[in-house]
């Protein structure tokens, strides 16, 4: 070994020992011939002192004193020296090693470095494209190293936990065939079979179900998934899921295993986080009604109330036209916001319009007494909502508003109104700083609809994926004409407003699976071509089974307290799917294309 200790591990208890360290040169200060430098390795940073004065007694050789003067940022060095307690008053409580320093006796340069394009420190503030272009330097920053370590610990916890629960880790192919999760496939041309293509898995969904037919019973994999989507903020074309599947289980078994896994993992790797246990469970219908979202942030309340019936008592034309076309009027109470000025309300209205809404109706209860007794001057109403005190009393009681509060209402077709209200709810929570950044508010959302109507394509899509089982007793509805009303055995795990995992109890009978494919508009040939393997397998004793797939990237980002999943992926791609380090995707040699029988057209 080139070293006897790690820089960041040294403590006061190591004082008076001799150590050999190796690492990178960080900050360097020259104080009248005495050189102080921060030496950094993965474990952290320690201060090294080069004092050429023989009276200082550090035994620094003249050659080493000379070398120390030449050292520059990010050079790789080996330092031998003596650990000593720092002189009183020069301790640095911000550093783990801040009580000691290393008095160098020798230094050897193991490698030099060009001046890095940005300073290697957490507060360097370098532009992200520069960081990604020099990712190997960016990853040297202590915060990024912590993220890599955290990710390792999360995955290690998962492996150990599932191993103890009898799961087998099994690899499934990356070169495979299209398996739908609602995205576009990445295709890989075959050289040996010109004109044929592999698809990279959008998830190992069919493979893990086939493993259940094989009798594996409990499978998991830290699985890379590939989805060629137009990249929305903070998505990656390849990402990692903990993919798991279990036989002979019902929904409750999958959810309780997931909850045990998450709580144990977070208590182990991020014990400072606040968790609410047990995880609340909401049906999809309940989540939409109460929070206008299927991934509600439960760190705060701001619950919705449907006031369509009361709104019909007003003279407000917008409300009436929405009600006449089957829409709803729904909203929530913004606590304490009655004091908002007209221009502040206008900003909220602008936010609502940006989110797509036609506008925002608001009522400010400015008086101090009960709402039902407030007079017109105390109640600041939005236009069209001039209603008697009695009506306001009823509205406030229904919505839970009190003096000092503002009521916010939006009107529209319910699926749209929910989108706007969800945006507004999160916006108000942000303005009022209602979400505790240290809390992880998990919840399971269950009973998703089996299908959702795709307006653009004019057809039904699976809400989850085609392999999801309808709810018990609802298979009969598949022959009816209200397909949107059929519930499924699909569930999500959500946390702080993000979806962290999706799963379902699966279909395991051929006939039912074929019926779902036909509702989704797959032709017979298409089904035969794409799904032969799983349909056939269902005819050879497929056990009842189900599973879930928690995303690893988002989870680690939340635990690391970063808003970008790119910060917890060693080599991520940009928003446009580019790897700036390797500069990929890139053109390939014409000879490679010829081998693949591929011609690139304009
Ligand atoms: N394959 C699903 C997904 O990737 C997860 C599951 O149903 O287990 O979302």
């Amino acid at each position: 070994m080139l070293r006897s200790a790690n820089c960041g591990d040294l403590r006061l208890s190591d004082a008076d020992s001799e150590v050999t360290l190796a690492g990178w040169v960080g900050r360097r200060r020259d104080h009248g011939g005495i050189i102080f430098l921060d030496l950094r390795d993965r474990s952290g940073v320690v201060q090294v002192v080069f004092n050429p004065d023989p009276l200082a007694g550090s035994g620094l050789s003249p050659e080493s004193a000379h070398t120390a003067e030449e050292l520059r940022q990010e050079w790789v060095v080996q330092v031998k020296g003596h650990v000593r307690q720092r002189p009183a008053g020069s301790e640095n409580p911000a550093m783990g090693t801040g009580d000691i320093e290393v008095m160098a006796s020798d230094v050897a340069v193991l490698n030099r470095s060009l001046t890095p394009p940005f300073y290697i420190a957490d507060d360097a503030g370098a532009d992200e494209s520069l960081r990604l272009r020099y990712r190997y330097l960016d990853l040297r920053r202590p915060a990024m190293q912590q993220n890599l370590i955290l990710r390792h610990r999360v995955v290690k916890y998962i492996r150990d936990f599932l191993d103890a629960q009898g799961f087998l880790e099994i690899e499934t192919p990356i070169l495979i065939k299209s398996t739908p999760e609602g995205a576009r496939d990445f295709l890989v041309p075959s050289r040996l079979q010109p004109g044929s293509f592999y698809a990279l898995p959008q998830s190992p969904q069919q493979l893990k179900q086939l493993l259940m037919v094989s009798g594996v019973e409990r499978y998991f994999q830290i699985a890379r998934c590939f989805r060629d989507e137009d990249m929305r903020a903070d998505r990656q074309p390849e990402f990692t899921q903990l993919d798991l599947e279990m036989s002979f289980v019902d929904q409750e078994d999958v959810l309780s295993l997931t909850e045990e896994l998450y709580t144990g993992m977070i208590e182990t790797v991020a014990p400072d986080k606040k968790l609410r246990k047990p995880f609340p469970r909401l049906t999809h219908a309940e989540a939409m009604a109460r929070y206008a979202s299927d991934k509600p942030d439960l760190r705060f309340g701001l619950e919705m109330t449907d006031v369509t019936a009361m709104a019909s008592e007003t003279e407000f034309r917008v409300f009436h036209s929405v009600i006449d076309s089957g829409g709803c009027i729904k909203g929530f109470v913004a606590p304490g916001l009655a004091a908002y000025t007209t221009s502040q309300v206008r900003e909220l209205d602008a936010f609502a319009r940006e989110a797509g809404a036609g506008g925002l109706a608001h009522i400010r209860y400015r008086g101090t007494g009960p709402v039902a007794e407030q007079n017109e001057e105390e109640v600041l109403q939005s236009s069209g909502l001039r209603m008697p005190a009695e009506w306001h009393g009823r509205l406030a009681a229904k919505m839970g508003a009190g003096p000092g509060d503002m009521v916010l209402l939006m009107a529209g077709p319910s699926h749209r109104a929910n989108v706007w209200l969800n945006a507004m709810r999160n916006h108000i929570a942000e303005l009022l700083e209602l979400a505790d950044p240290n809390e992880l508010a998990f919840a399971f959302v269950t009973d998703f609809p089996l299908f959702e109507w795709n307006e653009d394509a004019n057809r039904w899509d699976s809400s989850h994926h085609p392999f999801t089982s309808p709810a018990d007793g609802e298979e009969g509805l598949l022959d009816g004409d209200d397909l949107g009303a059929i519930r499924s055995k699909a569930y999500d795990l959500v946390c702080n407003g993000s979806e962290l995992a999706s799963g379902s109890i699966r279909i395991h009978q051929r006939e039912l699976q074929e019926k779902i494919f036909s509702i989704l508009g797959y032709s017979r040939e298409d089904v035969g071509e794409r799904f032969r393997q799983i349909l056939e397998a269902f005819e050879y004793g497929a056990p009842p089974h189900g599973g879930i797939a928690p995303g690893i990237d988002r989870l680690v980002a939340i635990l690391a307290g970063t808003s970008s999943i790119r910060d917890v992926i060693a080599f991520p791609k940009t928003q446009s799917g580019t790897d700036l380090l390797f500069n990929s995707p890139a053109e390939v040699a014409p000879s490679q294309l010829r081998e693949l029988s591929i011609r690139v057209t304009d």
Side-chain angles (χ1 to χ4, degrees):
M1 288 291 286
L2 297 184
R3 61 182 170 193
S4 68
N6 296 326
C7 299
D9 294 345
L10 296 175
R11 292 291 178 272
L12 202 48
S13 54
D14 298 299
D16 293 330
S17 61
E18 302 298 321
V19 289
T20 305
L21 304 173
W24 289 265
V25 174
R27 233 153 45 95
R28 176 181 180 287
R29 281 109 36 218
D30 199 332
H31 284 188
I34 305 181
I35 294 169
F36 293 85
L37 65 80
D38 288 345
L39 187 64
R40 185 187 68 241
D41 64 16
R42 196 179 85 188
S43 64
V45 173
V46 69
Q47 173 162 286
V48 179
V49 185
F50 295 89
N51 189 340
D53 183 350
L55 294 177
S58 52
L60 182 67
S61 63
E63 307 82 71
S64 287
H66 179 68
T67 307
E69 279 179 19
E70 291 191 320
L71 299 181
R72 291 292 172 268
Q73 252 184 64
E74 300 311 314
W75 285 26
V76 190
V77 295
Q78 183 188 44
V79 172
K80 291 197 172 93
H82 181 80
V83 182
R84 74 161 192 192
Q85 180 166 13
R86 289 200 195 185
S90 64
E91 299 89 350
N92 181 351
M95 287 170 87
T97 58
D99 288 330
I100 53 102
E101 57 195 4
V102 175
M103 303 302 293
S105 54
D106 283 295
V107 60
V109 174
L110 302 179
N111 208 349
R112 295 174 173 232
S113 168
L114 296 174
T115 304
F118 48 86
Y119 187 45
I120 310 292
D122 287 339
D123 51 4
D127 170 65
E128 197 183 17
S129 49
L130 196 63
R131 288 175 51 202
L132 291 174
R133 160 82 175 75
Y134 293 95
R135 187 61 158 180
Y136 47 90
L137 294 178
D138 187 40
L139 291 177
R140 256 186 222 168
R141 295 192 300 121
M144 296 303 281
Q145 302 248 315
Q146 285 313 312
N147 290 351
L148 295 178
I149 292 168
L150 178 66
R151 188 176 177 120
H152 163 79
R153 294 186 65 213
V154 164
V155 172
K156 166 118 177 30
Y157 186 93
I158 291 172
R159 288 205 157 98
D160 292 346
F161 174 88
L162 292 175
D163 175 62
Q165 299 274 343
F167 282 77
L168 300 182
E169 182 170 5
I170 299 176
E171 290 173 73
T172 55
I174 295 295
L175 295 178
I176 182 78
K177 192 169 184 168
S178 178
T179 173
E181 295 281 356
R184 219 174 272 117
D185 291 323
F186 279 102
L187 298 175
V188 179
S190 160
R191 179 181 58 84
L192 296 174
Q193 295 170 46
S196 293
F197 295 80
Y198 301 100
L200 306 184
Q202 293 185 30
S203 86
Q205 184 61 38
Q206 291 184 63
L207 294 150
K208 67 176 172 177
Q209 291 192 241
L210 292 170
L211 286 171
M212 295 303 106
V213 182
S214 309
V216 164
E217 294 192 10
R218 292 185 158 213
Y219 140 95
F220 83 97
Q221 179 176 198
I222 306 296
R224 197 62 65 82
C225 303
F226 304 86
R227 298 185 191 174
D228 188 4
E229 291 174 287
D230 295 327
M231 298 250 279
R232 275 184 268 152
D234 219 23
R235 288 273 184 109
Q236 288 282 309
E238 56 179 305
F239 60 93
T240 308
Q241 286 186 337
L242 158 61
D243 193 46
L244 70 84
E245 197 74 6
M246 307 160 82
S247 291
F248 309 116
V249 289
D250 60 27
Q251 172 169 309
E252 191 47 45
D253 300 305
V254 181
L255 299 193
S256 56
L257 177 110
T258 307
E259 179 162 347
E260 202 186 322
L261 167 62
Y262 271 81
T263 49
M265 174 210 307
I266 289 159
E267 282 163 2
T268 306
V269 307
D272 298 342
K273 296 283 180 198
K274 276 190 238 157
L275 277 181
R276 238 180 290 167
K277 294 189 292 186
F279 295 172
R281 296 183 183 198
L282 300 164
T283 64
H284 179 265
E286 202 181 342
M288 297 311 289
R290 288 174 60 189
Y291 302 101
S293 167
D294 58 8
K295 33 180 180 293
D297 191 334
L298 296 183
R299 286 175 297 175
F300 47 88
L302 305 184
E303 289 196 27
M304 303 291 153
T305 310
D306 188 316
V307 295
T308 312
M310 283 196 68
S312 68
E313 297 172 36
T314 70
E315 305 274 289
F316 194 25
R317 275 210 315 255
V318 175
F319 282 178
H320 285 279
S321 76
V322 165
I323 294 170
D324 290 346
S325 51
C328 68
I329 289 87
K330 201 165 151 177
F332 64 99
V333 176
L337 287 199
Y340 256 37
T341 61
T342 309
S343 80
Q344 284 174 306
V345 171
R346 225 178 280 130
E347 279 170 28
L348 291 184
D349 191 66
F351 180 88
R353 286 171 197 276
E354 193 127 306
L360 180 70
H362 70 278
I363 307 161
R364 287 167 284 174
Y365 295 120
R366 283 223 167 137
T368 47
V371 169
E373 289 162 24
Q374 291 189 8
N375 59 35
E376 240 186 83
E377 286 85 75
E378 289 175 319
V379 178
L380 295 183
Q381 304 160 325
S382 72
S383 62
L385 286 178
R386 309 218 152 269
M387 295 298 284
E390 179 275 329
W391 184 87
H392 283 296
R394 269 192 293 135
L395 184 80
K398 189 172 170 65
M399 299 191 70
D405 291 342
M406 172 155 64
V407 163
L408 297 174
L409 297 175
M410 285 170 146
S414 80
H415 60 286
R416 298 239 173 84
N418 282 334
V419 173
W420 310 328
L421 282 164
N422 177 43
M424 186 53 89
R425 177 176 177 267
N426 289 327
H427 182 60
I428 295 288
E430 218 175 292
L431 290 176
L432 297 178
E433 295 182 13
L434 297 181
D436 176 351
N438 213 28
E439 182 178 359
L440 299 177
F442 284 98
F444 287 113
V445 179
T446 62
D447 299 75
F448 275 77
L450 187 60
F451 301 112
E452 57 194 27
W453 182 246
N454 181 334
E455 269 176 30
D456 299 333
N458 204 29
R459 57 147 204 259
W460 290 104
D461 283 341
S462 294
S463 304
H464 185 39
H465 53 52
F467 309 104
T468 298
S469 169
D472 286 334
E474 299 196 7
E475 289 95 338
L477 301 176
L478 291 168
D479 297 316
D481 48 15
D482 194 6
L483 296 177
I486 306 175
R487 286 170 306 157
S488 73
K489 293 190 186 174
Y491 33 79
D492 276 359
L493 177 66
V494 302
C495 177
N496 296 2
S498 295
E499 172 202 311
L500 286 191
S502 287
S504 57
I505 298 299
R506 326 295 184 188
I507 294 165
H508 61 282
Q509 303 95 341
R510 177 171 189 144
E511 206 184 320
L512 180 55
Q513 187 66 71
E514 279 179 328
K515 185 176 249 172
I516 300 288
F517 284 137
S518 94
I519 291 173
L520 295 173
Y522 289 99
S523 68
R524 273 208 158 276
E525 300 85 76
D526 219 10
V527 170
E529 156 63 21
R530 295 181 63 181
F531 302 111
R532 177 189 50 76
Q533 61 286 341
I534 196 150
L535 292 171
E536 272 178 15
F538 283 171
E539 294 195 290
Y540 291 95
H545 60 284
I548 192 163
I552 303 276
D553 308 301
R554 168 89 37 225
L555 169 70
V556 180
I558 289 177
L559 295 180
T562 166
S563 57
S564 167
I565 59 169
R566 293 188 294 279
D567 282 344
V568 298
I569 298 172
F571 297 104
K573 296 184 175 55
T574 65
Q575 213 77 122
S576 57
T578 309
D579 181 318
L580 292 175
L581 177 55
F582 281 79
N583 196 19
S584 75
E587 289 180 11
V588 297
S591 57
Q592 283 178 299
L593 288 179
R594 266 196 306 279
E595 275 178 341
L596 294 168
S597 313
I598 283 186
R599 196 170 52 227
V600 178
T601 64
D602 295 338

